[in-house]
């Protein structure tokens, strides 16, 4: 019987566990960040989330960010900017 080698395309992942950020008790006065992943409907979905949250909570600022592409992770510089400018962030996949 002839055998065929099978390769695992996933490779080897090296990860470190990260603790989740603590939940905020209230949104009033916080800076909201919205991260658009550039999928077709992400902008529409995030605008709806923004409008509903803003109607219920008084944010001190709402900041909008956009990734380079939906299949890419956010650039480290973009993540650093979001961390510096926002207290809470919402992102969505809008297919």
């Amino acid at each position: 019987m002839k055998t065929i080698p099978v390769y695992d395309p996933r490779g080897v992942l090296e990860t470190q566990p990260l603790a989740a950020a603590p939940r905020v008790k209230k949104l009033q006065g916080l800076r909201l960040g919205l991260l658009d992943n550039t999928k077709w409907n992400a902008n529409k979905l995030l605008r709806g989330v923004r409008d509903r949250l803003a109607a219920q909570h008084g944010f001190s600022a709402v900041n909008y960010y956009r990734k380079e592409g939906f299949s890419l992770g956010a650039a480290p510089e973009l993540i650093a900017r979001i961390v510096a400018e926002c207290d809470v962030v919402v992102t969505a996949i809008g297919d």
Side-chain angles (χ1 to χ4, degrees):
M1 176 178 220
K2 191 173 183 177
T3 61
I4 300 172
V6 177
Y7 298 97
D8 186 345
R10 296 174 295 181
V12 177
L13 298 175
E14 294 181 23
T15 63
Q16 295 178 353
L18 297 173
R23 290 184 179 247
V24 297
K25 302 227 187 283
K26 62 178 186 154
L27 296 175
Q28 181 75 31
L30 297 182
R31 301 168 298 166
L32 173 66
L34 301 167
L35 177 59
D36 183 338
N37 73 344
T38 70
K39 284 266 194 170
W40 289 103
N41 292 312
N43 185 14
K44 182 178 180 180
L45 178 61
L46 287 171
R47 282 191 317 239
V49 169
R50 175 204 60 206
D51 293 346
R52 286 187 177 212
L53 287 174
Q56 297 174 16
H57 310 280
F59 295 110
S60 64
V62 177
N63 302 308
Y64 193 84
Y65 306 93
R66 207 169 144 91
K67 289 183 3 174
E68 290 294 322
F70 62 84
S71 64
L72 303 171
E77 299 83 17
L78 177 59
I79 293 172
R81 183 172 167 211
I82 293 169
V83 168
E85 298 175 358
C86 302
D87 301 304
V88 293
V89 179
V90 175
T91 189
I93 297 172
D95 281 338

